[in-house]
Amino acid sequence: MKKPQLDLRPGKWKPKKGKKVKKHRRLRLPVLLSGCVLLLAAAGLITFFAVKNSRVYTRVEVEAGDLTLVPEDFSKNGAPVSFDPSFSPDSVDFHTPGTYSVKLKSGVFHYTASLTVKDTVPPSGRAVAGMLSRGERSDPSALVADVKDETRVTVSFETEPDTASCGVRDVTVLLTDLGGNVTKLPATLTVIPLYTVLVREAGGQLTPADFILPDCSVAELFPVGDDGSPAQVDLAALTESAGDHPLRFSADGLICDCVLRVKDTTPPVMVLRDVTSAVGAEVEAALFVESVQDAGSVSFTVSFTAPLDQTGTQTVTIRGVDDSGNAAVGKATLTLVPDEEPPAILGAENIVSYVGKAVSYLSGVWAEDALDPKPSLTVDSGAVDLQKEGVYPVTYVATDAAGNRSEKQITLTLLTETVSEADVMAKAKEIVSSIITPDMTPRDKVEAIYRWMKKNVAYRDGATIVDWQQAAYQGLTTHRGDCSVFQMTSRALLTAAGIENRLIDTVPYYNVHYWNLVNIGEGWYHFDATSFYDKQDFCYVDSATLAERSVHYRRSHTFDPARFSYVS
């Protein structure tokens, strides 16, 4: 017979009063099982969090600075750590204090760590003297320099300075960073009765009084140098050049640093000319410009209305733009014609050099063409052996855009060097240093060398010396010689003084004479210091004057005008 089953549901079974209830063993098992499960779950959770917490630091603090965020900064006990794909390291600004959330991953675990950027170091910098016009609001940042900090720095005054009256003020400048750190810098501020920046149009008139503020009066105002002593300043010349020009004045004894700001708002004034050129030749915009007036430099462009490879006349547009961006536009006429005339080769003269030395064949040699502004010029020196004495042919070839070709042959004489160029120039520089002063103009230098030659080198007739270094050294040391010695001695002295010079000689109809040409930026002029011609002055004269004066010496300076067509 089956035993009745107890109905253990809540409210269904109650023990009878007065009787003991027998405990059933079946009640213990579920309770024990539930307890075990809870214990195991708790142990698992403890283990889970213990493992998770042992891999990553969830709170990190760093000092602001130039840092790079890497996941290893959060690794604990060397555990592998990476950024969560949803996190961007660029979101952390190490130059801005604050707390940033960083999402990390280590194995199966995901973390949200906090990174705190702190700034505990005060900023550094140095004070500089400031200057401003009376009544002008002062900018504290103008009184400091070399400000350094790992976070943004705000510059302010501890007490706003008074700029209502002129004079020197002692002020304190505060440097405050984003971390709240403050550095105090003592500085000086000078309030002046002048414009610290005066703006003027290029080319205008200007006097020191123009710098005085309208509501100020200055009894004594003049420019001074760095040491405070009076200085000469050409203010009118400064207005010709656009840009900022620093100036220093003494205003009733108060030293004032000012800036003249010259602005150029006026377009260039161009005078254009019509141009005739060869078909196919390169035509540059500058060819159409006769002259230009502007406070700065001007660049030019040209626009054509027809191709350049066919004859005819066309109207071109010339555009000139100055440094300040002001533009002027003009029209001119371009006529393209066939080119049948070859270019001329100028400056190619016989050369004397020395065995084993390099020769600059194209130095001082150029080609000119009536229609092509840039003919090509080449030199054929294939027959020259620089290691052997002798006289060698050298051929120059000039070709224009139309293919017209001209040649000119000279001779290169190679000698064995008896006097070195270094010895010649050392002696020449010694003499030049004794007669030339730094304040001399190029024209003054030319005249000083002419006077020295006239006073110190005597004419002695003799055979022409081909070796220019030997001839120059003779003139510099013995102070005597014929016209070839005078020519080469002058060459050495002019070169030592930085004066561009060339050699010239006569057409040999009666006798041969040698002298020099000089160029100081005004074209080529004649220079003949030979003491034989003491009755006339041949220092820096043009060709017409040279011809007129050489009449007294049987036309001693008659030269080939085609060969020296570039001489004034």
Side-chain angles (χ1 to χ4, degrees), residues 491-505:
R491 173 184 178 180
L493 293 173
L494 290 166
T495 301
I499 304 297
E500 186 179 9
N501 63 92
R502 300 177 64 85
L503 307 179
I504 186 172
D505 53 40

Side-chain angles (χ1 to χ4, degrees), residues 342-346 366-370 372 375 565-566:
I345 300 173
L346 302 174
W366 69 99
E368 288 184 356
D369 190 82
D372 182 1
S565 60
Y566 54 89

Side-chain angles (χ1 to χ4, degrees), residues 201-237:
E201 179 67 23
Q205 297 297 316
L206 188 69
T207 66
D210 293 322
F211 283 85
I212 302 175
L213 294 171
D215 56 347
C216 293
S217 61
V218 178
E220 188 178 37
L221 178 66
F222 54 88
V224 296
D226 293 338
D227 59 354
S229 60
Q232 294 294 325
V233 178
D234 189 350
L235 295 178

